[in-house]
Amino acid sequence: EGPAPVIQVSGRTYPVEVRYRPLVDDEEDEEIDVTTGIVRAVDELTAVDRGDILIFLPTERDIRETASRLRSETIRGDGNRKSEILPLYARLSAKEQNRIFQTGPQRRIILATNVAESSLTVPGIRYVIDTGTARISRYSPRSKVQRLPIEPVSQASADQRKGRCGRLGPGVAIRLYAQSDFDGRDRYTTPEIRRTNLASVILQAKTLKLGDIEKIPFIDKPRPEAIRDGYKTLFEIQAVDARQE
C-alpha cells in the first residue's frame, strides 16, 4: 500500500484589490454605524463601473435594514436605471432566493449572510463589501445551549469572501475594518466539532458501531471536556446506560 494520490484542480482566479475602510468618520474622527459604512463603500465602488456588488452581513435583520437604507439612497452612477437590491437569507422563499441567479441590465447589489461565502456562488460579482462578522454556532457547556453569537470571521473566511469577486475579472473587496484588526484574527475558523454539543455525535458513533469516540482519528480532535459533557448529556436523558458498549 502506497500513499494516497493527491489530485489538484486549480481554478481560474483574478487579482483582487483589498481596501480597508474602518467605520470611522475621517473628518470628525468618530465611529459610524455599519449601514453608513456600507452606503459609503457602495458609493465608492459604483464610481468605478456598473459591476455587481456582494455585501456580507451577519443577520437577516441587518440585511433588511441595509436593503431599506440602500433603496432610499441615490446611488452614484445609477442614472435612470436604479440598482436592483437583492437580499439573500435562509427564510426567503425559493423564488426570492433564485432571483440572485438572474442577471440583467441593472447593477445588482446582493446582501447576504455567510451562505454566499462558500455554500453557493453568486454569478456576475465584481465587488465585495465585507462587514467582517457572522453568526457562528457555539455550544455553551455551562448553560447547555447551542448559541449563535455574532463574531469576527477568521482570516480564511475573509479571504474566501474576497475571492467571490475575482472569478470574472479583477475585482475590489472593501473590508469595513482595519488591517490591524484582520492581522489579529484567527487564521482559520474553529472546526464545528470543537464548538458543538457532542451528544448527538457520540450517539451516532455508537449506533454505527464506530467504537469509542476518543479513539476515532478525527482530523480535529474534540476536547476531552467536550466529550465528557456529551456523555453527561446522554446519561441525563437516559440515552445510554454506560460508556462501554
Side-chain angles (χ1 to χ4, degrees):
E1 294 183 4
V6 177
I7 300 174
Q8 180 177 350
V9 180
S10 58
R12 184 178 64 179
T13 57
Y14 294 89
V16 176
E17 177 191 351
V18 179
R19 302 178 184 178
Y20 290 93
R21 300 290 186 266
L23 298 174
V24 177
D25 191 315
D26 294 332
E27 295 180 1
E28 300 181 7
D29 197 26
E30 295 180 354
E31 289 189 8
I32 59 175
D33 61 84
V34 174
T35 307
T36 300
I38 289 172
V39 170
R40 292 184 179 183
V42 167
D43 196 46
E44 178 179 341
L45 293 175
T46 54
V48 180
D49 65 26
R50 296 194 57 82
D52 292 347
I53 301 171
L54 175 60
I55 303 173
F56 285 98
L57 289 152
T59 68
E60 176 185 331
R61 178 179 177 180
D62 293 317
I63 289 174
R64 291 200 306 267
E65 290 178 353
T66 305
S68 176
R69 175 77 178 273
L70 286 173
R71 290 188 181 109
S72 67
E73 294 283 337
T74 301
I75 297 174
R76 183 186 299 186
D78 270 1
N80 296 324
R81 186 175 292 160
K82 286 191 174 183
S83 295
E84 188 177 15
I85 312 298
L86 297 174
L88 176 63
Y89 49 84
R91 289 208 307 162
L92 280 176
S93 66
K95 181 180 178 181
E96 289 294 317
Q97 292 186 34
N98 286 334
R99 290 178 62 195
I100 70 165
F101 299 109
Q102 301 165 6
T103 58
Q106 292 175 292
R107 177 197 289 116
R108 300 182 308 151
I109 300 177
I110 298 163
L111 302 94
T113 59
N114 56 351
V115 66
E117 186 179 307
S118 57
S119 299
L120 56 84
T121 298
V122 182
I125 298 301
R126 294 298 301 272
Y127 306 107
V128 162
I129 298 172
D130 180 13
T131 58
T133 55
R135 280 202 183 278
I136 298 176
S137 176
R138 289 192 185 276
Y139 177 68
S140 171
R142 179 172 297 180
S143 61
K144 297 188 180 301
V145 171
Q146 194 80 26
R147 302 178 300 116
L148 282 169
I150 297 175
E151 299 180 0
V153 299
S154 66
Q155 292 182 8
S157 288
D159 288 340
Q160 182 78 9
R161 294 178 174 192
K162 178 189 74 174
R164 300 292 94 184
C165 62
R167 293 176 173 267
L168 299 178
V172 177
I174 291 183
R175 290 173 174 166
L176 300 182
Y177 46 94
Q179 184 169 0
S180 58
D181 183 351
F182 172 80
D183 294 338
R185 296 186 178 199
D186 293 339
R187 185 67 190 92
Y188 300 102
T189 304
T190 305
E192 187 174 3
I193 197 168
R194 295 181 64 87
R195 51 182 171 84
T196 191
N197 182 6
L198 295 180
S200 62
V201 178
I202 295 169
L203 199 59
Q204 191 168 19
K206 286 183 174 295
T207 302
L208 297 174
K209 301 186 184 302
L210 298 179
D212 237 356
I213 191 171
E214 294 94 330
K215 298 177 182 178
I216 297 176
F218 291 107
I219 295 175
D220 297 289
K221 195 172 182 62
R223 293 173 287 108
E225 56 268 29
I227 294 176
R228 288 195 296 270
D229 185 76
Y231 274 115
K232 183 179 178 182
T233 300
L234 294 174
F235 294 150
E236 289 175 350
I237 63 175
Q238 299 181 353
V240 295
D241 295 326
R243 292 190 52 173
Q244 288 75 29
E245 290 288 335

